[in-house]
Amino acid sequence: MEHEVYVPFPVGTVRQALTEPERVARCVPGAQLDAEAAAHRPEGRLRLRIGSSTITYRGSLTVSEPGDGADAAVTVEAKGTETRGDGAVALTLTVRLSPATEPGPGTTLSCAGTVHGDGRLTEATDRSAESAGRRLLDRFAENLTEDLRQRPVPDAGQAARPGVFDTEVPPPSLDPHSDEDAAEPAGTGDPADAAGPADTADALDDLVSEDRVPELRAEHAYGPEADAAAPAEAAHARRTMIGRSAEEVDHAPPRGRYAPVPAPETGGTSATLRWAAPAAAVVLASAVVVGRVLRRRR
């Protein structure tokens, strides 16, 4: 059987795409690939409709690398067995690529294939088998076009360019004196940048000069002067913490603005007196009313 299909991509792009077995198998209509299959030899299931019957095969696909010539052909081989039956099939497809101008710039795939099989495939007529093969190649070209649009093939220059992880990193030098050139020897720098013992002493004298001593004393000293310079709350806390152990300070109740507010008393003398006077008045009024009623009855 011979058949031609059209793909709207350059010859080099289509040729590189046909050398990828996984892409070729993915573009076959009715194919379901196994997830754990190898990329160079994809495996899976294929549902093939011939005439009024549908045959399901399980097999694998391989692609042979084309030669160096511009007109070198790509050979695709597929083998499978029926999932329901004892039949088997073997396909050898030779694809030649040539530039095309109609219906637009692209590539023409001239396919020539042979099929050998038994089982349910032998029950189909030659006309039905040829029609199924042509329909399969037409849909393959459509799927390949869509796949190239979604997953373009890498550029040849980009593929040859090494990536970040492919760059060779030179090993570190084992010579212990190799890093001595990077370090500046002592005594070769600017004399003004080198600080000797005398300069260090002068710097310390400037740091603890008489102008700054009062500031340091007022900030870190304890006493009446420090309490006067510090805020009232800080001075109070400082006076209460001096002379106490660390445990006493940790477990001491907070004072000042952070002291706990005592809970209001629920009962007391004022509450008793507040209710006692009305109760006594009610009792007295009741006694007067009862006395008057008794007098009237007599």
Side-chain angles (χ1 to χ4, degrees), residues 136-254:
L136 186 69
L137 291 175
D138 290 339
R139 295 182 57 189
F140 171 80
E142 297 175 359
N143 295 342
L144 180 60
T145 301
E146 189 64 25
D147 191 82
L148 285 174
R149 290 173 180 171
Q150 297 181 359
R151 305 176 182 86
V153 295
D155 188 9
Q158 182 179 1
R161 188 183 303 113
V164 177
F165 298 99
D166 299 333
T167 305
E168 182 179 359
V169 179
S173 177
L174 300 179
D175 187 4
H177 303 287
S178 59
D179 296 336
E180 291 182 357
D181 296 338
E184 183 179 3
T188 61
D190 190 0
D193 297 337
D199 297 337
T200 306
D202 295 341
L204 293 176
D205 293 341
D206 295 340
L207 180 63
V208 294
S209 60
E210 293 298 333
D211 297 338
R212 300 191 60 186
V213 166
E215 299 179 2
L216 297 176
R217 290 177 178 176
E219 181 179 359
H220 300 285
Y222 294 96
E225 298 179 359
D227 294 343
E233 296 181 359
H236 175 72
R238 184 178 300 169
R239 287 193 300 270
T240 56
M241 294 172 60
I242 295 176
R244 303 173 65 181
S245 63
E247 295 183 357
E248 292 177 350
V249 173
D250 293 341
H251 298 284

Side-chain angles (χ1 to χ4, degrees), residues 52-132:
S52 59
S53 60
T54 302
I55 308 175
T56 303
Y57 292 97
R58 180 169 185 81
S60 60
L61 180 143
T62 57
V63 178
S64 62
E65 294 290 341
D68 298 333
D71 57 346
V74 179
T75 304
V76 180
E77 296 182 354
K79 298 179 180 179
T81 57
E82 297 179 4
T83 57
R84 297 182 180 179
D86 300 332
V89 65
L91 168 68
T92 302
L93 185 67
T94 303
V95 183
R96 297 186 180 277
L97 292 78
S98 59
T101 57
E102 295 293 338
T107 304
T108 299
L109 279 64
S110 301
C111 306
T114 57
V115 180
H116 301 280
D118 53 9
R120 298 180 58 187
L121 184 62
T122 58
E123 300 177 0
T125 61
D126 295 341
R127 184 176 180 180
S128 299
E130 185 176 355
S131 177

Side-chain angles (χ1 to χ4, degrees), residues 20-31:
E20 303 176 7
E22 186 178 3
R23 186 191 294 266
V24 174
R26 186 171 59 243
C27 296
V28 175

